Amino acid sequence: MSLVVLPFYQKRHKHFDHSYRNIQTRYLLDEYVSKKRASAQSSTQRSLTQTSSAQRASSQTSTRAASASVREEEQEDEHRGLQPKARGLAGTRDPQLCLRLAPSPQALGSGEHLNHTLMAKGSRSFTACRCPVLSTCSSSRFLYRSLEAAYGEAKRQRFLSELEQLEQDVHLTRSHTRSMLDKYALQQTVEDQMAWGRHVFEEHVSRAPEILVRLRSHTIWEKMSVRLCFTVQGFPTPVVQWYKDGSLICQASEPGKYLIESRYGVHTLQINRADFDDTATYSAVATNGHGQVSTNAAVVVKRFRGDEERLRSVGLPIGLPLPSVIPYTHFNVQFLEKFGVTFRKEGETLTLKCTMLVTPDLKRVQPRAEWYRDDVLLQESKWTKMFFGEGQASLSFSHLNKDDEGLYTLRIVSRGGVSDHSAFLFVRDADPLVTGAPGAPMDLECHDANRDYVVVTWKPPNTTTESPVIGYFIDRCEVGTDSWVQCNDAPVKICKYPVTGLVEGRSYQFRVRAVNSAGISRPSRVSAAVAALDPADLRRLQAIHLEGDKEIAIYKDDLEGDIQIPGPPTDVHASEISRTYVVLSWEPPKPRGKEPLMYFIEKSVVGSGTWQRVNAQTAVRSPRYAVFDLADGKSYVFRVLSANKHGLSEPSEITPPIQAQDSIVVPSAPGRVLASRNTKTSVVVQWDRSKHEEDLLGYYVDCCVAGTNQWEPCNHKPIRYNRFVVHGLTTGEQYIFRVKAVNPVGTSENSQESEVIKVQAALTVPSHPYGITLLNCDGHSMTLGWKVPKFSGGAPILGYYVDKREAQHQNWHEVNALPLQDRILTVEGLTEGSLYEFKITATNMAGIGQPSDPSELFKCEAWTAPEPGPAYDLTFCEVRDTSLVMLWKAPVYSGSSPVSGYFVDFKEVDSGEWKNVNETTTPNRYLKVCDLQQGQTYVFRVRAVNASGPGKPSDVSEPVLVEARPGTKEISAGVDEEGNIYLDFDCPEMTDASQFTWCKSYEEIADEDKFRVHTEGDHSRLYFKNPDKVDVGTYSVSVSDTDGVSSSFVLDEEELERLMVLSNEIKNPTIPLKSELAYEILDKGQVRFWLQAEHLSPDANFRFVINDREVSDSEARRIKCDKSTGLIEMVMDRFTIENEGTYTVQLQDGKAKNQSSLVLIGDAFKAILEEAEFQRKEFLRKQGPHFAEYLHWDVTEECEVRLVCKVANTKKETVFKWLKDDVLCEREKLPDLEKGVCELLIPKLSKKDHGEYKATLKDDRGQDVSILEIAGKVYEDMILAMSRVCGLSASPLKILCTPDGIRLQCFMKYFTEEMKVTWYHKEAKISSSEHLRIGGSEEMAWLQICEPTEKDKGKYSFEIFDGKDNHRRSLDLSGQAFDEAFAEFQQLKAAAFAEKNRGKLIGGLPDVVTIMEGKTLNLTCTVFGNPDPEVVWFKNDKDVELSEHFSVKVEQAKYVSLTIKGVTSEDSGKYSIHVRNKYGGEKIDVTVSVYKHGEKIPDIVPPQQAKPKLIPASTSAEAK
């Protein structure tokens, strides 16, 4: 369907302004006309003097020229960003508005008359011009016709002259515009140069060089050119020199290779046709008298390697238009990062981005970036945003739809040419709102808009996995609202629908939803807003020329006179016919009158003679209408009537018979589909176009993995061309493709399926060989070796061609005319002492590839060293994350003795030190290198060793990245259906040139008697014909022409034995068993023997054999077999001592056999017998009161041990008792047996609670006992459980100071020394010692630090272990905490020391002494103190005066006595002894009672120990 350009009034319509005025355009025209007024007047005078004959002769030419000029001027204005000039106004009948906004064609050219009309004329001028005409028409019809003819002739002459004048004005305006633009451009250039000159002048001061823009590194392909640029400033102007890897670059040394330029401080080095040797670090040094600066950058020249495909993807047949305007500055653009093929889903956001290097990098001038989708230039919209600058260009999508799918191309346009990059964006359907619903339609567009009518078209979705679409619903929404209204009641079958019932002057948006049997799809992307306006209103405007250069614009209706009832419409015809509707179009009546028109449509079935009005309820204002609800197979005729407020016209002429039917049909299926290889993940699909391509929207391509019949869509938007690149395929997978055509009616049948194609890269010539090594030389010949190309081109390499040349020679000479199969060659006929270099080319079926880089210069001189030559052909396989396997070939030159082994060296890239992999030589030509660092890159070399020592090392290998490839597969071992043992390997990455190579001990397997290799596609197996123990070893496989795909498998004796057993089982079939013969003890003590097979056929049979005697089903042994489940069982009611022996079940099902045995002898039988007896007794036990759960224990939150049991089948008479060691435990409250739970609490568990605890149940039905012994392991578990509760309740560590030191305490609910606790100091475990004592009480655990010192500072932790977790509390005893505790400890220690060493009375004195006169009283006691205390005796608180009567005796400084000789009554009283030293002392009071001889002895109260009283140190000092 052709795309119709929207009329200008649609483009300018604001979709919210119902006056349809464009003030911006009016102001623009006013300004333009004011500047052109003088030149236009002179041009008008000249045009009026021309003859009428010349005007008639040139009228036709002028008309075409004027139209072309107007179109050209409009295109120029659009390109400059100006609004299109206003040509008229639709939808108004105000004469004043017509004067202002409806210019004539002449006014559009010059603008003068329009300006004069706008500024000088009003509504009165319009009335004055119009009234004479109207009065004349009313007076006489004849006079009217005469005036009309005269007026028409004058109008024609004036129109011809105005057309000529218009052409001259257009040319004059364009010339004037060009001169102004050139003048402005020249002025701008001068200003820029002057500004630059001023800047340079200001900056020209003496200073050292300063680099403003540094060099940037580049990576390019071989044969490309690269330009290095940098900017430097300084005064005097610095001198710049360029260096390559430190060597000065001289242009004369290689003419044409380098181009060095310097302009305005920007210095450039251009390297033309770069090759691999140009990879280096380039430096630029700028020097003047004040200093020197430098900058450098790396240039990496890449050539095609094995992992890079040399064949680019096949492009789509899209021709992008060349840009019309190109920036004047020459730019070089190099893409650094490019967006690739992208897969997204509807509703997601996406940014396509390219980073690039643009040289020169100018801030004020940049090349232009253009984005294309397919071949259409994109503009910014609410869906897409563009950005270009700062070295990148991006295209962002805020909400993806399938409308956005296509081939996107970024073009960077400059004077230097066009740089572009393309990639396809795939947008799949969003998840449906209803499962199975189709995807949303796309590319919604509006056409043929009118007052109340618009045609909406769209493209159908691809329904590969959903049911077919049965129709569409169209919704509309008035701009400015969010209310969507469905336009059609029944689904529309075709992708086109005329929407009627619009309100004139309003703007609308539309969307479409698809319907199938499952439901309704998501809505399509909303269309652009469209206004309901009639484009025919503009054609009804005409200009009337007045005297001078004045003119007015009026409607043709104004000249028709006073017409009341309009005439009938004309040219009624069907402009569009479909199966569901017919669109009628017609021309408005002539004359039509001034009043607004409306139309009524009538239809009639051919032959019926009756007419039916179609739009009886709604009048039509547009000259077209869609008629629905037409019967299938019937022909209709139509007529149209026009009407205004005065009345209804006569009917129009009747149309020819019209039948509702589709004018287009479903397209035919596309022809032959051909799929061809493209890349590793894409395929090019081509097909023959459909036979009928009229109204074709495009094609959908589907793909399917071969053998699955699960089709998936490849594109989600129809493509117009017959070739498509399908991306996102799996490498190595096989696919089938089909195509279907799409038009507005529907989708064609699927095409024939393509041939199966395997996704692989297209065939190309191989890449170049590499690693040319000299292996031997005898003075007249050289032996060379080299490595295979990394990329074979997708086909096997057929051979190699070798060329040679001597040093300083330019011409190469071929060594071999026929291709070599081997990668080793002896080149004969060389001159001894000469230097030679070689290059090698590989060939395959696609052709001869590129030659290798020339080798280094090899000198032709005989090798005579006793050491061996270099090993060669170093290859790597099985590269994993930390290891790899290295292989090599033996030296060609072995030296004076055979090679005995090899050393392997390695180092990291860019590291200077080689390290040995193996300390001793390895005799093998392979070695597995382990313990490498993942992600690191290494290089290796090999040194051969003979009796003379290590020889020359091999060439350094290529760098190897130690990292497993994504999706790495390994060898698997198994047994096939026939019992053959095999090793299996898959390689999806293989190509047609790939081959599997199986090795044992990394030597290719060639023994056909022992092994057989079967390869099919990307799958290969190594079969063992006669497996034996000699087959144990390491097996490996490698796949050529891949990125190092390889794997190995160690087949040890255990694995081989397992495989042989499995092989034997397959070759000798047995009935597989789900379960071997087993037994089960049932509740009543019955024993059930059972076996279950995987499957048993109805014809299967079995035998039960006990002690070699078959048993059958009986009451004592119930045997049954369920063949549907394979279950065979035997139940024995009473299991006795006689049942000891071997039990066997024998099965046979066709040829397959099996048996299973169970030996029940000795201890095994006794265990079953005891268990059966136990279960029988348990059954009997449960007939009376019994324990449902036997005694068990737990620990409460209060750290109490609780013994718990559950009882069942009890009654009121049942008696429950608790006993410990057979002693009844008295409890205040009896347990409630109805609850079924009995508990006994043991608070503060300790060893005294060891013993046997019993719980007993008893009534008339029987009794039951449950026993739990708390000792050993049970007791330890209880302690651990209590430790958990205590650990959770433990308080933070607290400090307590004592005279002995500092004590750390942790309080908890309960503590016993049997708990597993640990103290830590600075995370070191503490053991109890004299300095650090560990202990505790029932409420806490403590750590005593005796005589603390500075070493005791630090963090202390207390930890209690509950068997699973550690509960820790910590305290930092340092800083202020330690200082305060230590000070308190010193005080307490001093007080304790004083208490210990003060004066004390050890030997006690009685508190009362009774004695008779005349006797001698001796009071004796023992004292202690350090230093020795002072002893003072008092009588009645007065010192005792020593005499013969009173005597005091002190012996050995500790025994003190007071002797009173011949006591008298005067000696009665209170005697006190004071014992004190500097730390304090004590005193004791003794009451002495003396009675006379003959008196009654007083009642003697038994004397008691006198209690000493403390004498403080201060008191002692004062007394002293």
Side-chain angles (χ1 to χ4, degrees), residues 1-4 445 447 455-458 495-496 576 664 693-697 720 744:
M1 177 179 294
S2 61
L3 300 178
V4 179
E445 295 182 357
H447 310 278
V455 176
V456 180
T457 62
W458 61 91
C495 298
K496 185 177 183 180
E576 185 177 345
I664 57 176
E693 289 193 321
E694 295 79 7
D695 297 309
L696 192 68
L697 297 177
R720 297 297 301 270

Side-chain angles (χ1 to χ4, degrees), residues 750-788:
N750 292 316
S751 67
Q752 293 182 356
E753 297 176 359
S754 69
E755 296 291 335
V756 176
I757 184 172
K758 189 174 183 180
V759 181
Q760 292 178 338
L763 293 178
T764 60
V765 297
S767 61
H768 58 82
Y770 66 102
I772 303 175
T773 305
L774 179 61
L775 303 179
N776 193 8
C777 181
D778 59 4
H780 301 286
S781 64
M782 293 184 181
T783 302
L784 304 177
W786 59 89
K787 294 184 179 180
V788 296

Side-chain angles (χ1 to χ4, degrees), residues 632-685:
D632 291 339
K634 292 185 179 181
S635 298
Y636 292 84
V637 291
F638 300 90
R639 66 186 184 186
V640 182
L641 299 86
S642 59
N644 60 14
K645 70 178 183 179
H646 299 293
L648 192 66
S649 73
E650 293 295 327
S652 67
E653 294 182 0
I654 300 175
T655 65
I658 300 172
Q659 184 176 354
Q661 59 184 2
D662 289 330
S663 58
I664 57 176
V665 296
V666 175
S668 60
R672 183 173 59 97
V673 179
L674 177 64
S676 58
R677 290 160 54 172
N678 186 34
T679 68
K680 289 183 178 180
T681 58
S682 64
V683 166
V684 178
V685 181

Side-chain angles (χ1 to χ4, degrees), residues 1367-1441:
H1367 305 273
R1368 175 174 286 208
R1369 301 292 185 269
S1370 300
L1371 174 68
D1372 188 5
L1373 186 61
S1374 59
Q1376 182 179 357
F1378 180 83
D1379 295 341
E1380 292 177 354
F1382 187 76
E1384 185 178 354
F1385 154 69
Q1386 292 286 11
Q1387 295 176 1
L1388 295 176
K1389 179 181 179 181
F1393 184 79
E1395 174 65 22
K1396 178 181 179 181
N1397 294 287
R1398 66 179 175 84
K1400 297 179 183 178
L1401 285 164
I1402 299 177
L1405 292 175
D1407 57 348
V1408 177
V1409 176
T1410 302
I1411 192 171
M1412 187 175 65
E1413 279 185 337
K1415 298 289 185 181
T1416 298
L1417 177 62
N1418 189 355
L1419 300 175
T1420 304
C1421 64
T1422 304
V1423 298
F1424 172 78
N1426 187 15
D1428 293 339
E1430 178 185 18
V1431 180
V1432 180
W1433 289 90
F1434 294 89
K1435 178 183 179 183
N1436 297 328
D1437 297 330
K1438 294 182 180 179
D1439 290 345
V1440 175
E1441 296 182 358

Side-chain angles (χ1 to χ4, degrees), residues 198-218:
R198 287 194 300 270
H199 175 72
V200 171
F201 179 78
E202 293 172 358
E203 294 296 319
H204 276 184
V205 292
S206 298
R207 63 178 182 272
E210 179 184 2
I211 295 178
L212 303 180
V213 179
R214 294 188 168 273
L215 292 176
R216 295 182 180 178
S217 298
H218 295 266

